[in-house]
Amino acid sequence: MATAATTTPCGFVSRLPSHQAPPGRKSQLLLIQEHAKKPCFFRRITTRCDSSSSSANASSDSSPASISALERLKAAGADRYTKEKCSIAVIGLSIHTAPVEMREKLAIPEQQWCRAIGELCDLNHIEEAAVLSTCNRMEIYVVALSWHRGISEVTEWMSKTSGIPAAELREHLFMLRDGDATRHLFEVSSGLDSLVLGEGQILSQVKQVVKNGQGSGVLGKNIDRLFKNAITAGKRVRCETSIASGAVSVSSAAVELALMKLPVSQALTARMVLVGAGKMGKLVIKHLASKGIERVVVVNRSSERVDAIRDDIKNIEIVYKPLEEMVKCAGEADVIFTSTASDTPLFLKSNVENLPPTANDDARLFIDISVPRNVGACVSDHGSSKVFNVDDLKEVVEANKEDRIRKAMEAQVIISEELKSFEAWRDSLETVPTIKKLRSYADRIKGSELEKCFGKIGDEALTKKTRRSIEELSNGIVNKLLHGPLQHLRSDGSDSRTLEETLDNMHALNRMFSLDTVTSVFKQKVKSKVDKSS
């Protein structure tokens, strides 16, 4: 796939695909040279046959130095951090920027997403976070008090999590901020950033981020809304454009690759084995059946999923084998597809050295669509075996790229509409603290004047009816007086008022009533960070 290289002022080179560089996109890739000092609590140990094991040291940090640093932030907050709202940023790597060897070290299993989010939110400058980890990408979305310091902390966290030196990581990471970060997630959800433009599985993976977050309560309101709007964008793109027509998934591309590598005369009679019966595995079987393959052996821990697939896909014979027979089944196959969530390789060189030759003495094909990889690269060292992973699927989809790029341009119109909707919602949040403070200010005055009034009337003359009438009168006066100012603090896109006008109104009210909203909101955020650290 062609890439557009961009060098930033920091010397970081962008390797994002050229079809994904809409006019005006800023900060495609940023080198973060500062490092956060707070250690990571999340440990992940990955073993590969062609690389050494790595682990991140787990420790805790509630030292006075850490807290005093946050106290200094609080003291300097009015000058350094209150001039701009918190940034939404994404930092990560994908099939476009990093090889599978690096992606697998950073991959985080779905069951550990919530734990990772908790650790990210413990970082000094990170308020909210989400993790999107698939076979083609590992991306972290954050809301940061200070975007450059926050990204620096996340970079260091990723380095400690994966065991990859930060300097090496930066050669492959991309970073996008605010509108660019939002657009990127919308493009990801719409299938525009996938290996194959328009593929559908990524949308379900974005949905899973929201589902997990709602179940555990780890997603903040900004990230939650961001991902929900991304889901809406993804659905609209697939419903309102033809980008998904004839779309090729990773699973179908794997089948295409296997058939390309087999001799034409043997393609339909080759013996097929699939290890893993998850969503990707089911799609492999579906596409094998569509190509005319009549039989596939499925190796899995249990038979329940295989039985469910057999009930759903009728035009192919599906034979179940337990995991204990995996190597034996591989010895009886010409092509082995692997699609499991295993953190360690299922096949190493030692597993294939003694396998019998294939039926036609051709090389045995291992098509590995898992990240982390299920088949070690060392298997290719054995002359009778060839290994292909997700990075090798690019040649399958290259032929359809031009047509899909044209369809992607149609999708960008929808994405721009959804982006405008999200930004209007986020802009509306900026005035909420001022609205609350103004209402509280008015209520304090009302309460004080009511107390004076009731004192003058006296308890003997103050009946319940009189008290209620006076309270209703004062509430009505306050509400009518506040109606105009509060209306001019709206910034939700429902009227013609611009964001600049709304913010001018907000700052004017802050000055007139000495609300000091911006600084107080920042101090509350920093105080919560200090309390959390201590």
Side-chain angles (χ1 to χ4, degrees):
M1 180 175 290
T3 59
T6 304
T7 303
T8 70
C10 298
F12 216 178
V13 179
S14 168
R15 295 180 180 84
L16 291 183
S18 56
H19 74 267
Q20 297 184 191
R25 170 167 289 196
K26 303 170 292 183
S27 307
Q28 290 288 354
L29 208 54
L30 264 156
L31 172 60
I32 309 301
Q33 296 178 331
E34 298 177 1
H35 302 305
K37 302 300 182 184
K38 187 166 182 174
C40 167
F41 289 76
F42 180 57
R43 169 174 289 186
R44 176 173 173 76
I45 299 176
T46 306
T47 303
R48 304 252 66 86
C49 71
D50 53 341
S51 64
S52 59
S53 301
S54 62
S55 64
N57 295 325
S59 60
S60 61
D61 180 11
S62 58
S63 64
S66 175
I67 297 173
S68 63
L70 283 170
E71 290 290 5
R72 288 197 298 273
L73 277 180
K74 182 177 179 180
D79 296 327
R80 297 177 60 190
Y81 293 104
T82 59
K83 294 179 181 178
E84 57 180 337
K85 63 183 179 183
C86 295
S87 294
I88 290 178
V90 55
I91 183 169
L93 41 74
S94 71
I95 195 169
H96 306 304
T97 68
V100 66
E101 292 84 359
M102 181 167 287
R103 299 200 308 274
E104 67 190 2
K105 291 179 182 178
L106 281 157
I108 299 177
E110 184 179 320
Q111 62 270 24
Q112 294 183 20
W113 286 358
C114 294
R115 183 181 178 184
I117 290 171
E119 290 182 3
L120 287 163
C121 290
D122 282 339
L123 298 175
N124 289 347
H125 293 85
I126 302 302
E127 287 191 278
E128 303 177 26
V131 173
L132 178 60
S133 182
T134 74
C135 63
N136 284 338
R137 68 188 66 252
M138 197 296 221
E139 299 176 351
I140 295 175
Y141 292 81
V142 297
V143 174
L145 283 169
S146 167
W147 71 269
H148 56 289
R149 289 173 175 82
I151 290 300
S152 176
E153 292 172 351
V154 174
T155 304
E156 186 69 10
W157 181 90
M158 294 173 75
S159 174
K160 291 184 178 182
T161 297
S162 63
I164 302 172
E168 183 180 349
L169 258 183
R170 292 189 193 106
E171 296 178 6
H172 302 277
L173 291 176
F174 68 88
M175 194 287 287
L176 298 169
R177 179 186 177 194
D178 292 326
D180 292 335
T182 302
R183 180 177 289 276
H184 174 74
L185 179 59
F186 288 9
E187 290 176 350
V188 167
S189 183
S190 302
L192 302 189
D193 193 67
S194 299
L195 175 64
V196 183
L197 290 176
E199 67 98 0
Q201 190 171 9
I202 185 62
L203 179 58
S204 65
Q205 291 163 333
V206 173
K207 289 179 181 178
Q208 199 61 31
V209 173
V210 176
K211 183 178 179 181
N212 282 2
Q214 289 176 336
S216 56
V218 296
L219 293 187
K221 63 181 179 182
N222 287 277
I223 294 291
D224 180 71
R225 181 64 177 253
L226 172 66
F227 272 75
K228 286 178 178 176
N229 277 54
I231 292 169
T232 301
K235 289 179 178 178
R236 283 192 60 194
V237 166
R238 287 170 175 81
C239 292
E240 299 176 28
T241 74
S242 58
I243 195 169
S245 61
V248 185
S249 66
V250 170
S251 299
S252 64
V255 172
E256 292 281 355
L257 180 65
L259 297 181
M260 285 171 55
K261 299 301 180 182
L262 286 169
V264 177
S265 60
Q266 301 166 19
L268 298 181
T269 58
R271 298 169 298 175
M272 303 287 184
V273 167
L274 167 67
V275 182
K279 294 179 181 178
M280 298 276 280
K282 181 179 179 180
L283 288 172
V284 168
I285 297 173
K286 180 179 178 181
H287 291 293
L288 285 173
S290 70
K291 295 297 182 181
I293 305 299
E294 298 179 351
R295 184 177 186 272
V296 60
V297 174
V298 181
V299 179
N300 200 52
R301 292 186 182 276
S302 62
S303 62
E304 285 79 6
R305 284 188 174 182
V306 181
D307 292 338
I309 294 174
R310 189 185 292 115
D311 292 339
D312 193 38
I313 303 175
K314 302 291 187 180
N315 55 338
I316 186 172
E317 180 186 357
I318 302 173
V319 180
Y320 166 72
K321 294 292 182 181
L323 196 60
E324 294 76 20
E325 297 184 30
M326 180 182 68
V327 175
K328 178 184 176 183
C329 291
E332 298 171 352
D334 302 307
V335 181
I336 300 96
F337 296 92
T338 59
S339 176
T340 79
S342 174
D343 285 345
T344 56
L346 303 178
F347 291 97
L348 301 175
K349 186 177 179 180
S350 58
N351 300 122
V352 303
E353 285 178 330
N354 298 320
L355 293 182
T358 61
N360 298 287
D361 289 329
D362 295 312
R364 181 175 280 107
L365 306 182
F366 286 86
I367 312 293
D368 184 7
I369 55 175
S370 304
V371 176
R373 288 171 292 174
N374 291 165
V375 183
C378 51
V379 171
S380 289
D381 295 340
H382 191 263
S384 62
S385 300
K386 291 184 179 180
V387 179
F388 302 91
N389 57 50
V390 289
D391 287 0
D392 297 309
L393 303 180
K394 294 178 182 179
E395 64 176 288
V396 177
V397 301
E398 189 68 22
N400 296 327
K401 188 179 71 172
E402 290 186 8
D403 179 54
R404 296 186 186 284
I405 290 175
R406 286 194 295 270
K407 294 176 180 177
M409 294 175 67
E410 302 173 18
Q412 287 292 349
V413 176
I414 296 171
I415 288 174
S416 294
E417 292 173 3
E418 292 299 326
L419 180 62
K420 182 179 179 181
S421 173
F422 174 75
E423 290 180 340
W425 172 83
R426 192 158 181 253
D427 288 338
S428 71
L429 297 182
E430 198 162 350
T431 60
V432 170
T434 297
I435 291 172
K436 289 181 177 179
K437 278 217 161 190
L438 183 58
R439 170 65 71 177
S440 177
Y441 175 80
D443 286 341
R444 284 198 305 273
I445 294 176
K446 179 187 70 176
S448 174
E449 295 304 313
L450 281 174
E451 189 175 344
K452 292 178 184 178
C453 176
F454 294 152
K456 291 178 179 179
I457 294 175
D459 293 338
E460 295 181 359
L462 186 64
T463 64
K464 289 184 177 180
K465 183 176 181 181
T466 302
R467 185 184 187 94
R468 186 167 58 250
S469 297
I470 295 174
E471 288 177 343
E472 289 175 354
L473 173 66
S474 60
N475 287 336
I477 292 172
V478 169
N479 289 339
K480 282 182 169 58
L481 286 174
L482 289 181
H483 177 73
L486 296 185
Q487 280 291 99
H488 283 79
L489 290 179
R490 291 174 56 191
S491 179
D492 57 6
S494 60
D495 56 28
S496 60
R497 189 179 302 109
T498 65
L499 175 61
E500 288 74 20
E501 288 179 272
T502 302
L503 294 181
D504 285 343
N505 294 334
M506 181 186 76
H507 294 312
L509 287 169
N510 279 325
R511 290 192 302 272
M512 283 188 283
F513 296 100
S514 301
L515 301 179
D516 198 23
T517 303
V518 178
T519 303
S520 64
V521 169
F522 172 78
K523 288 182 177 180
Q524 289 173 10
K525 291 178 179 180
V526 174
K527 183 179 182 299
S528 68
K529 282 288 182 184
V530 173
D531 293 342
K532 197 170 187 179
S533 295
S534 59

